[in-house]
Amino acid sequence: MVEIRALNSARQEASGIQMVLLAVWYWTSSHVSLTVAIFGALFMVFGALVLQGVNNVLAGMFGVWGFSFILLGLFFDILLRFIAAWQKRQASA
């Protein structure tokens, strides 16, 4: 549902490649925890594939940073779900 809203909003505001970039921006801003986790996974992939042959210490650091971002994304997801459940409970009371 959020993806459809993001695409429709982007269609109203721009066209062509700007529309696509705007839709991606709307989607990533509405899925903060998933975006942070994907960013962490990209850090891990970059460290494992690109930096492995160049500098092993830097590759390991990127792996640790990536795992930290994945944990941060998981924490954001749990926190946001907890807040949403609390708001539903408050609204129904």
Side-chain angles (χ1 to χ4, degrees), residues 1-11 23 26-27 30-31:
M1 191 66 158
V2 174
E3 293 80 10
I4 295 171
R5 278 188 275 153
L7 189 56
N8 287 337
S9 296
R11 279 188 185 143
Y26 287 151
W27 185 86
S30 65
H31 291 87

Side-chain angles (χ1 to χ4, degrees), residues 29-70:
S29 62
S30 65
H31 291 87
V32 174
S33 58
L34 183 61
T35 303
V36 170
I38 290 172
F39 185 72
L42 290 175
F43 257 50
M44 292 176 77
V45 167
F46 181 73
L49 296 179
V50 177
L51 297 175
Q52 189 66 32
V54 178
N55 188 345
N56 289 336
V57 174
L58 194 59
M61 288 172 56
F62 267 80
V64 170
W65 292 336
F67 187 71
S68 300
F69 274 113
I70 290 173

